[in-house]
Amino acid sequence: MEQSSKRSGLLNGRFIFKKFSDGSLDKRTVICIYCQAEFQYHRSTSSLQYHLRAKHAFASSSCATDNPPTANESIQPQQSTLAEFQNRYKPMDQTKYNTLTNAIAKWIAMDCRPLNIVNDRGLRDIIQIASSNQLYTLPSEGTIASQIHDLYNNEKTTKLELLKNALAVALSGDHWTSLSNHSYLGVTAHLIDASWTLQSFALTVMHTEERDAESCAECFLDVAKEWNIQEKVTTISIDSAHSMIAADSHLPFEHMTCIAHSLQQSITVALGDGGFENILEKCRKLVGHFKHSPINNTELGIQPAAKGQKQEPLVQDISTRWNSTLGMVQHLLCNKATITATSALQKQKLSVPTGKDFEKLQKLETLLEPCRFVTELLGGELYVSCSVVLPAFCHIFSVMEVSDDDPEYVIQFKNTFTADLTKHKEGANMRFLKIATALDPRFKHLKCLPKSERDEVWNMMSEVLKEQHSNVETTELEPPEKKMNLPLVADDENECASVCTALDRYRAEPVISMETCPLEWWSKHEGAYKCLAYVARKYLATPATAVPCERLFSLSGDIVNKKRAALSPVNVNKLVCLSDWLNKK
């Protein structure tokens, strides 16, 4: 090793040994390849490194790596000026240092990094190079923890202000269990602000000891009280877990079923009853054979590589992961030829899908793809989703209509799926969904409903508006401190009578295109439909699913399951909420 080092020079070739006249090396004298300066060498490179930092900064930043100097480095040496040298070795300006500290704290909070990353020498070196300051030192863990705490409080103040000014707030909630078997309840808030922008953010990820109905309901009420929105909460969206459904019966909020969960449950039932389970089990074993063995997986990639093609990785489906069965089927179909050819060369006898099996999988892909589309569409939280539920149901039922060309197993799947999803639809809050659909200018023609039900929806709308008008009048008679933050209705005697007129005018408005945002339409027409605006904010803010809480648990898993610094439940809540707020901001 020493002989090799002496032949190649020191510090990755940035200093070479001087040669005597006879061609032998002078092992006590080295020459800088950039400026040809000579230095005495006594087995220590400290003075040599100092020379690189002072005279050749472009080389010192990479002298610790294994990369030798490039041609440009040796041909175009640069000598630092006195001013550059002084800037690199003078203390950083306090304002700039504070800015860097805040940026580091925000990065750690946003990406759920461990606090002890500030002890990373590599991170320090990167910032030293980026800031051109060799004296920069990273802040301590305590400083970053304090910054994150302040950041949380500042962001929470912003969210409290949003909730204070909101006319109506919808909640979504779900339970989650960590790998260490600790139970957490996640709650998110959804509202439409004064500028008609849909806001969706976390309120809490709290550690819970009990998951019975009463305890769960109490937790939801505690969250509403903490954020001072007890009188503003309109609905709560939850999944179909028995504890959540039972808890909802103890709450004074309207119940909203998670449509995505209902859809996935109907898929599971239809797969079992439609005769697909046997072929899916064969697919799972085949995928496992290749995914769990590096040798088998390598053999699977030989043929695509020989043809200059990219290998499509196989995907294993997971019962709790939505649309994963569709993903497994799609990747198997993409690798059909490769799997068939590779399996024939395997010593182990595999049960490979036959031609008819692949044809069956192709049919299954056609059945599941619309379900994936609707699940992802309804799971969004940055756009209106509640008003899309009934049109989505209409689309799914249309796709699942039996045709003359369908084989028996497809007919069985469609009939079972349709029957099960119809039960879920009947158990949903149909009154709320119908009004939400009517308040969306894209769907107010209500073509997703039978003609016999459309007039009933507008009658319900009229009742809601009259009830709102009555609530405002009652509120105006109360002492000021008890008044709710509801939109004022003019004292004009014609205002109450204009409710029906306003509905008629709204119904006469042209339907907007599917690409147009309904909130954008309402922002332009709020002045013309003041009595409808509050109702629109209430109904269109409600999410169609509990998916926003599911996304929180991805963050929770990063923090809790990796046991970062044995975080307390309070710190878990702060970090998860702060990460959610910053990423959406």
Side-chain angles (χ1 to χ4, degrees):
M1 175 68 74
E2 183 176 353
Q3 292 300 323
S4 174
S5 172
K6 291 186 183 297
R7 284 195 299 268
S8 61
L10 301 175
L11 296 180
N12 296 324
R14 286 164 176 80
F15 291 88
I16 60 175
F17 289 100
K18 186 177 180 180
K19 290 184 178 181
F20 290 116
S21 58
D22 61 357
S24 60
L25 296 179
D26 180 359
K27 297 180 181 179
R28 292 181 177 273
T29 307
V30 293
I31 302 173
C32 174
I33 66 170
Y34 302 111
C35 62
Q36 308 304 312
E38 293 187 6
F39 298 89
Q40 293 299 308
Y41 174 62
H42 303 286
R43 295 185 176 275
S44 172
T45 61
S46 298
S47 61
L48 307 182
Q49 292 179 14
Y50 179 83
H51 172 74
L52 287 178
R53 289 196 299 269
K55 301 295 184 179
H56 315 292
F58 64 93
S60 67
S61 63
S62 58
C63 68
T65 69
D66 294 331
N67 298 325
T70 64
N72 288 336
E73 289 178 347
S74 58
I75 294 173
Q76 299 176 353
Q78 299 177 5
Q79 184 169 343
S80 302
T81 65
L82 179 61
E84 291 173 339
F85 176 79
Q86 290 175 337
N87 286 335
R88 285 199 301 272
Y89 288 94
K90 74 176 183 179
M92 181 178 289
D93 176 74
Q94 190 61 41
T95 301
K96 186 175 182 180
Y97 185 85
N98 291 340
T99 301
L100 278 173
T101 301
N102 292 336
I104 292 171
K106 189 174 181 180
W107 166 57
I108 289 175
M110 285 184 67
D111 295 340
C112 298
R113 302 298 180 187
L115 290 180
N116 61 10
I117 199 171
V118 295
N119 300 323
D120 191 334
R121 293 177 59 187
L123 177 61
R124 181 204 64 189
D125 293 344
I126 290 172
I127 297 180
Q128 284 181 348
I129 295 171
S131 62
S132 299
N133 191 303
Q134 300 298 315
L135 296 182
Y136 174 81
T137 57
L138 286 165
S140 66
E141 292 184 39
T143 299
I144 293 298
S146 177
Q147 289 282 351
I148 290 177
H149 179 77
D150 293 341
L151 197 56
Y152 172 83
N153 288 335
N154 292 338
E155 290 296 325
K156 184 175 181 180
T157 300
T158 303
K159 301 307 178 188
L160 282 168
E161 190 67 19
L162 270 175
L163 293 170
K164 178 182 177 181
N165 296 328
L167 300 177
V169 180
L171 300 180
S172 66
D174 198 7
H175 268 116
W176 170 77
T177 303
S178 68
L179 293 180
S180 55
N181 209 30
H182 291 143
S183 180
Y184 289 86
L185 174 67
V187 182
T188 57
H190 311 266
L191 59 95
I192 297 174
D193 63 20
S195 62
W196 287 94
T197 300
L198 183 60
Q199 302 282 352
S200 174
F201 51 88
L203 294 183
T204 188
V205 176
M206 63 166 60
H207 181 261
T208 57
E209 298 293 342
E210 303 291 339
R211 294 181 67 163
D212 58 276
E214 291 79 7
S215 299
C216 186
E218 186 177 350
C219 287
F220 279 114
L221 294 174
D222 289 342
V223 172
K225 183 177 180 181
E226 177 189 352
W227 291 86
N228 198 26
I229 53 175
Q230 305 96 307
E231 304 299 326
K232 296 184 178 183
V233 177
T234 56
T235 61
I236 180 167
S237 301
I238 57 176
D239 62 17
S240 55
H242 295 299
S243 60
M244 298 297 283
I245 295 176
D248 187 64
S249 63
H250 296 274
L251 294 171
F253 318 132
E254 283 202 66
H255 167 67
M256 296 298 294
T257 303
C258 177
I259 304 301
H261 278 85
S262 301
L263 191 59
Q264 295 301 314
Q265 288 176 348
S266 296
I267 291 174
T268 302
V269 172
L271 286 175
D273 200 45
F276 286 99
E277 275 304 322
N278 290 336
I279 178 62
L280 288 177
E281 186 59 32
K282 183 187 293 187
C283 292
R284 293 183 187 110
K285 291 181 179 179
L286 183 65
V287 171
H289 171 79
F290 288 106
K291 284 188 68 68
H292 299 158
S293 170
I295 296 176
N296 294 335
N297 190 54
T298 301
E299 291 180 357
L300 186 64
I302 291 176
Q303 284 199 2
K307 297 178 181 179
Q309 300 173 348
K310 182 180 178 181
Q311 180 189 356
E312 289 291 335
L314 297 180
V315 175
Q316 185 69 274
D317 72 333
I318 301 173
S319 59
T320 57
R321 183 171 296 172
W322 297 345
N323 302 318
S324 62
T325 298
L326 174 61
M328 180 181 70
V329 170
Q330 289 176 330
H331 283 76
L332 279 171
L333 291 172
C334 287
N335 288 278
K336 175 182 175 182
T338 305
I339 289 174
T340 303
T342 304
S343 301
L345 301 175
Q346 293 261 307
K347 294 181 180 180
Q348 181 179 351
K349 192 172 182 180
L350 297 177
S351 179
V352 181
T354 63
K356 289 186 177 180
D357 288 337
F358 276 113
E359 182 181 339
K360 199 171 185 179
L361 291 175
Q362 190 72 57
K363 295 283 187 182
L364 181 59
E365 180 190 16
T366 304
L367 293 169
L368 295 182
E369 180 58 34
C371 299
R372 178 205 60 79
F373 171 76
V374 170
T375 300
E376 294 180 357
L377 175 68
L378 298 181
E381 55 183 309
L382 299 180
Y383 52 83
V384 174
S385 59
C386 189
S387 60
V388 186
V389 172
L390 295 184
F393 273 138
C394 185
H395 170 70
I396 286 291
F397 287 134
S398 174
V399 169
M400 293 296 171
E401 288 182 356
V402 176
S403 66
D404 295 337
D405 299 331
D406 288 337
E408 184 61 33
Y409 60 87
V410 171
I411 295 175
Q412 185 64 31
F413 179 95
K414 288 182 174 181
N415 289 337
T416 303
F417 177 87
T418 301
D420 191 77
L421 189 60
T422 300
K423 292 180 182 178
H424 286 293
K425 179 182 176 182
E426 292 171 350
N429 191 339
M430 288 298 294
R431 181 179 182 274
F432 195 98
L433 293 175
K434 288 178 179 179
I435 294 177
T437 306
L439 287 167
D440 190 326
R442 298 171 297 178
F443 308 117
K444 65 187 184 69
H445 48 47
L446 300 178
K447 290 185 178 180
C448 57
L449 296 175
K451 290 183 179 180
S452 58
E453 297 181 14
R454 296 174 188 175
D455 288 337
E456 178 191 356
V457 176
W458 296 109
N459 291 334
M460 290 190 295
M461 283 273 290
S462 179
E463 293 174 3
V464 169
L465 291 174
K466 290 177 181 177
E467 181 182 353
Q468 176 206 338
H469 179 77
S470 175
N471 288 340
V472 172
E473 286 185 335
T474 303
T475 303
E476 290 176 345
L477 296 176
E478 295 178 353
E481 65 272 11
K482 293 186 179 181
K483 287 187 178 182
M484 293 176 59
N485 189 18
L486 293 174
L488 294 178
V489 178
D491 294 331
D492 194 329
E493 294 179 357
N494 295 326
E495 187 66 28
C496 185
S498 68
V499 167
C500 293
T501 304
L503 271 181
D504 291 338
R505 286 192 294 112
Y506 172 70
R507 293 179 66 178
E509 291 277 2
V511 175
I512 63 177
S513 67
M514 293 296 296
E515 293 75 23
T516 304
C517 174
L519 300 185
E520 182 180 339
W521 186 94
W522 275 107
S523 69
K524 296 177 180 178
H525 295 78
E526 180 179 12
Y529 301 102
K530 289 184 178 180
C531 57
L532 278 169
Y534 168 74
V535 180
R537 277 193 168 94
K538 170 185 174 181
Y539 282 83
L540 298 182
T542 299
T545 70
V547 171
C549 281
E550 300 281 351
R551 294 192 178 98
L552 280 185
F553 296 148
S554 297
L555 291 174
S556 303
D558 284 341
I559 295 174
V560 179
N561 290 339
K562 293 179 181 178
K563 300 180 180 179
R564 289 181 172 163
L567 292 173
S568 66
V570 173
N571 286 332
V572 168
N573 175 49
K574 286 185 177 181
L575 283 176
V576 173
C577 289
L578 182 57
S579 179
D580 175 76
W581 299 340
L582 293 176
N583 279 292
K584 289 177 180 175
K585 187 175 181 179

